[in-house]
Amino acid sequence: MPHIDVEILTPFTAKYLEGRSLTPAERAEVLRLAQGFACKDSAAAANVSPETIRARRKRIYRKLDVPGSGELISELLALSLRMLAAGERIEPRPVVPAQPQDTAASSTPTLIAAR
């Protein structure tokens, strides 16, 4: 499943979670949820077991008073659309210059794909 770029989601998620009592691990899990990570993939990314992710997600739903991931993502999307409709802008990702290559290691040019 394709994942949404985390740099796009971060400002909206931060606004959505303002004033909420989530732990840093739970906040990171909300971002992974919004990106579309399955429990197994999220567990691998967080270096924990899938059961830990399931328990964490249940705590998140309880703390945010939502019945599940669909509703959480729906609320996050609704807030994102309201923010954009109000003219709030998200900062574009800074362009990271390519690192100089060791010419002895490779004589072929490297292509950098933009996302």
Side-chain angles (χ1 to χ4, degrees):
M1 172 178 205
H3 300 294
I4 300 171
D5 197 348
V6 73
E7 285 87 5
I8 299 294
L9 291 171
T10 301
F12 300 120
T13 305
K15 182 78 170 175
Y16 176 73
L17 295 176
E18 277 181 4
R20 315 278 181 132
S21 61
L22 268 63
T23 66
E26 291 168 342
R27 289 175 181 272
E29 185 58 30
V30 169
L31 268 174
R32 286 191 295 272
L33 263 167
Q35 285 181 278
F37 278 70
C39 276
K40 183 176 157 185
D41 298 328
S42 185
N47 201 25
V48 296
S49 76
E51 280 305 311
T52 299
I53 294 299
R54 284 186 196 92
R56 191 173 288 165
R57 287 183 178 188
K58 284 181 184 179
R59 281 193 311 275
I60 290 167
Y61 303 149
R62 187 181 71 246
K63 288 180 178 182
L64 298 179
D65 195 27
V66 294
S69 64
E71 291 79 6
L72 187 148
I73 292 169
S74 177
E75 286 186 16
L76 181 58
L77 179 60
L79 174 65
S80 303
L81 292 173
R82 284 193 305 272
M83 287 172 67
L84 291 171
E88 292 186 44
R89 303 249 185 248
I90 58 171
E91 293 297 318
R93 286 188 295 165
V95 176
V96 179
Q99 296 295 322
Q101 287 184 286
D102 182 7
T103 55
S106 173
S107 61
T108 58
T110 302
L111 298 176
I112 300 173
R115 285 198 242 173

